[in-house]
Short mmCIF file of all heavy atoms in Angstrom, two decimals:
data_model
loop_
_atom_site.label_atom_id
_atom_site.label_comp_id
_atom_site.label_asym_id
_atom_site.label_seq_id
_atom_site.Cartn_x
_atom_site.Cartn_y
_atom_site.Cartn_z
N ILE A 42 14.90 -47.75 -24.85
CA ILE A 42 14.13 -46.55 -24.52
C ILE A 42 15.07 -45.62 -23.76
O ILE A 42 15.74 -46.02 -22.81
CB ILE A 42 12.91 -46.90 -23.64
CG1 ILE A 42 11.98 -47.84 -24.40
CG2 ILE A 42 12.17 -45.63 -23.25
CD1 ILE A 42 10.86 -48.40 -23.55
N ASN A 43 15.09 -44.38 -24.19
CA ASN A 43 15.99 -43.40 -23.62
C ASN A 43 15.26 -42.37 -22.78
O ASN A 43 14.11 -42.02 -23.06
CB ASN A 43 16.79 -42.69 -24.72
CG ASN A 43 17.63 -43.66 -25.52
OD1 ASN A 43 18.47 -44.36 -24.97
ND2 ASN A 43 17.39 -43.73 -26.82
N CYS A 44 15.96 -41.86 -21.79
CA CYS A 44 15.41 -40.86 -20.88
C CYS A 44 16.50 -39.81 -20.67
O CYS A 44 17.60 -40.15 -20.20
CB CYS A 44 15.02 -41.52 -19.56
SG CYS A 44 14.45 -40.41 -18.27
N SER A 45 16.22 -38.57 -21.00
CA SER A 45 17.24 -37.53 -20.94
C SER A 45 16.74 -36.33 -20.16
O SER A 45 15.62 -35.88 -20.34
CB SER A 45 17.59 -37.11 -22.37
OG SER A 45 18.58 -36.11 -22.37
N SER A 46 17.60 -35.81 -19.28
CA SER A 46 17.22 -34.68 -18.45
C SER A 46 18.15 -33.50 -18.68
O SER A 46 19.32 -33.68 -19.01
CB SER A 46 17.28 -35.10 -16.97
OG SER A 46 17.06 -33.99 -16.13
N SER A 47 17.62 -32.31 -18.48
CA SER A 47 18.43 -31.10 -18.58
C SER A 47 19.05 -30.72 -17.24
O SER A 47 19.83 -29.79 -17.16
CB SER A 47 17.59 -29.95 -19.11
OG SER A 47 16.51 -29.67 -18.21
N LYS A 48 18.70 -31.47 -16.21
CA LYS A 48 19.18 -31.21 -14.86
C LYS A 48 20.02 -32.37 -14.36
O LYS A 48 19.88 -33.51 -14.82
CB LYS A 48 17.99 -31.01 -13.90
CG LYS A 48 17.04 -29.87 -14.28
CD LYS A 48 17.62 -28.53 -13.95
CE LYS A 48 16.60 -27.43 -14.20
NZ LYS A 48 17.15 -26.09 -13.86
N ALA A 49 20.89 -32.08 -13.38
CA ALA A 49 21.70 -33.14 -12.78
C ALA A 49 20.81 -34.11 -12.03
O ALA A 49 19.93 -33.70 -11.28
CB ALA A 49 22.73 -32.52 -11.82
N LEU A 50 21.06 -35.38 -12.23
CA LEU A 50 20.19 -36.41 -11.67
C LEU A 50 20.85 -37.13 -10.50
O LEU A 50 22.02 -37.51 -10.56
CB LEU A 50 19.84 -37.44 -12.76
CG LEU A 50 19.09 -36.89 -13.97
CD1 LEU A 50 18.87 -37.98 -14.99
CD2 LEU A 50 17.78 -36.26 -13.56
N TYR A 51 20.04 -37.36 -9.48
CA TYR A 51 20.48 -38.17 -8.32
C TYR A 51 20.16 -39.63 -8.55
O TYR A 51 20.93 -40.51 -8.20
CB TYR A 51 19.80 -37.65 -7.06
CG TYR A 51 20.14 -38.43 -5.82
CD1 TYR A 51 21.39 -38.31 -5.22
CD2 TYR A 51 19.21 -39.29 -5.25
CE1 TYR A 51 21.71 -39.03 -4.08
CE2 TYR A 51 19.51 -40.01 -4.11
CZ TYR A 51 20.76 -39.87 -3.53
OH TYR A 51 21.05 -40.59 -2.41
N SER A 52 19.01 -39.89 -9.13
CA SER A 52 18.61 -41.24 -9.43
C SER A 52 17.63 -41.26 -10.59
O SER A 52 17.03 -40.24 -10.92
CB SER A 52 17.97 -41.91 -8.20
OG SER A 52 16.70 -41.37 -7.94
N VAL A 53 17.50 -42.43 -11.18
CA VAL A 53 16.53 -42.64 -12.24
C VAL A 53 15.75 -43.90 -11.92
O VAL A 53 16.34 -44.94 -11.58
CB VAL A 53 17.20 -42.79 -13.63
CG1 VAL A 53 16.14 -43.04 -14.69
CG2 VAL A 53 18.01 -41.55 -13.96
N HIS A 54 14.45 -43.82 -11.99
CA HIS A 54 13.57 -44.97 -11.75
C HIS A 54 12.88 -45.30 -13.05
O HIS A 54 12.51 -44.42 -13.83
CB HIS A 54 12.50 -44.62 -10.72
CG HIS A 54 13.01 -44.19 -9.38
ND1 HIS A 54 12.41 -44.59 -8.20
CD2 HIS A 54 14.04 -43.39 -9.01
CE1 HIS A 54 13.06 -44.04 -7.18
NE2 HIS A 54 14.05 -43.31 -7.63
N TRP A 55 12.62 -46.60 -13.26
CA TRP A 55 11.89 -47.05 -14.44
C TRP A 55 10.64 -47.83 -13.99
O TRP A 55 10.72 -48.68 -13.09
CB TRP A 55 12.74 -47.93 -15.32
CG TRP A 55 13.76 -47.16 -16.11
CD1 TRP A 55 15.07 -46.96 -15.81
CD2 TRP A 55 13.53 -46.49 -17.37
NE1 TRP A 55 15.68 -46.19 -16.79
CE2 TRP A 55 14.76 -45.90 -17.75
CE3 TRP A 55 12.42 -46.31 -18.19
CZ2 TRP A 55 14.91 -45.16 -18.93
CZ3 TRP A 55 12.57 -45.60 -19.36
CH2 TRP A 55 13.80 -45.02 -19.72
N TYR A 56 9.51 -47.52 -14.65
CA TYR A 56 8.24 -48.17 -14.34
C TYR A 56 7.57 -48.57 -15.65
O TYR A 56 7.78 -47.96 -16.70
CB TYR A 56 7.30 -47.19 -13.60
CG TYR A 56 7.78 -46.82 -12.22
CD1 TYR A 56 8.76 -45.86 -12.06
CD2 TYR A 56 7.25 -47.45 -11.09
CE1 TYR A 56 9.21 -45.52 -10.79
CE2 TYR A 56 7.70 -47.12 -9.83
CZ TYR A 56 8.68 -46.15 -9.68
OH TYR A 56 9.14 -45.82 -8.43
N ARG A 57 6.75 -49.61 -15.54
CA ARG A 57 5.94 -50.02 -16.69
C ARG A 57 4.48 -49.98 -16.27
O ARG A 57 4.11 -50.42 -15.18
CB ARG A 57 6.29 -51.44 -17.14
CG ARG A 57 5.42 -51.96 -18.27
CD ARG A 57 5.92 -53.29 -18.81
NE ARG A 57 5.91 -54.33 -17.81
CZ ARG A 57 6.77 -55.36 -17.82
NH1 ARG A 57 7.68 -55.46 -18.76
NH2 ARG A 57 6.70 -56.28 -16.88
N GLN A 58 3.66 -49.45 -17.16
CA GLN A 58 2.22 -49.35 -16.89
C GLN A 58 1.45 -49.99 -18.02
O GLN A 58 1.59 -49.62 -19.18
CB GLN A 58 1.81 -47.87 -16.74
CG GLN A 58 0.35 -47.67 -16.36
CD GLN A 58 -0.02 -46.21 -16.19
OE1 GLN A 58 0.56 -45.32 -16.82
NE2 GLN A 58 -0.99 -45.94 -15.33
N LYS A 59 0.62 -50.94 -17.66
CA LYS A 59 -0.28 -51.55 -18.65
C LYS A 59 -1.58 -50.76 -18.63
O LYS A 59 -1.94 -50.12 -17.65
CB LYS A 59 -0.48 -53.02 -18.33
CG LYS A 59 0.82 -53.82 -18.51
CD LYS A 59 0.57 -55.31 -18.45
CE LYS A 59 1.88 -56.07 -18.63
NZ LYS A 59 2.30 -56.09 -20.05
N HIS A 60 -2.28 -50.84 -19.74
CA HIS A 60 -3.47 -50.01 -19.94
C HIS A 60 -4.47 -50.19 -18.80
O HIS A 60 -4.86 -51.31 -18.48
CB HIS A 60 -4.13 -50.34 -21.28
CG HIS A 60 -5.30 -49.49 -21.59
ND1 HIS A 60 -5.19 -48.15 -21.88
CD2 HIS A 60 -6.63 -49.76 -21.63
CE1 HIS A 60 -6.37 -47.65 -22.09
NE2 HIS A 60 -7.27 -48.59 -21.95
N GLY A 61 -4.86 -49.08 -18.20
CA GLY A 61 -5.86 -49.11 -17.14
C GLY A 61 -5.35 -49.56 -15.78
O GLY A 61 -6.14 -49.65 -14.83
N GLU A 62 -4.04 -49.83 -15.70
CA GLU A 62 -3.50 -50.31 -14.42
C GLU A 62 -2.52 -49.29 -13.85
O GLU A 62 -2.16 -48.29 -14.48
CB GLU A 62 -2.80 -51.64 -14.64
CG GLU A 62 -3.71 -52.73 -15.14
CD GLU A 62 -2.97 -54.06 -15.38
OE1 GLU A 62 -1.77 -54.13 -15.05
OE2 GLU A 62 -3.61 -54.98 -15.87
N ALA A 63 -2.09 -49.55 -12.64
CA ALA A 63 -1.10 -48.68 -12.00
C ALA A 63 0.30 -49.01 -12.51
O ALA A 63 0.58 -50.12 -12.93
CB ALA A 63 -1.15 -48.87 -10.50
N PRO A 64 1.20 -48.05 -12.48
CA PRO A 64 2.60 -48.32 -12.86
C PRO A 64 3.22 -49.34 -11.91
O PRO A 64 2.92 -49.36 -10.72
CB PRO A 64 3.27 -46.96 -12.72
CG PRO A 64 2.18 -45.96 -12.77
CD PRO A 64 0.99 -46.63 -12.16
N VAL A 65 4.12 -50.14 -12.46
CA VAL A 65 4.82 -51.16 -11.68
C VAL A 65 6.31 -50.86 -11.74
O VAL A 65 6.86 -50.62 -12.82
CB VAL A 65 4.52 -52.57 -12.21
CG1 VAL A 65 5.38 -53.60 -11.50
CG2 VAL A 65 3.04 -52.90 -12.03
N PHE A 66 6.94 -50.88 -10.59
CA PHE A 66 8.38 -50.58 -10.50
C PHE A 66 9.20 -51.65 -11.22
O PHE A 66 8.97 -52.86 -11.09
CB PHE A 66 8.77 -50.51 -9.02
CG PHE A 66 10.25 -50.43 -8.78
CD1 PHE A 66 10.91 -49.23 -8.99
CD2 PHE A 66 10.97 -51.54 -8.37
CE1 PHE A 66 12.28 -49.14 -8.77
CE2 PHE A 66 12.33 -51.44 -8.14
CZ PHE A 66 12.98 -50.24 -8.34
#
Side-chain angles (χ1 to χ4, degrees):
Chain A
I42 299 172
N43 299 302
C44 175
S45 180
S46 174
S47 61
K48 302 283 186 180
L50 300 177
Y51 178 74
S52 71
V53 179
H54 301 220
W55 285 97
Y56 293 80
R57 176 172 61 209
Q58 184 179 29
K59 294 190 180 284
H60 183 69
E62 299 179 5
V65 173
F66 171 76

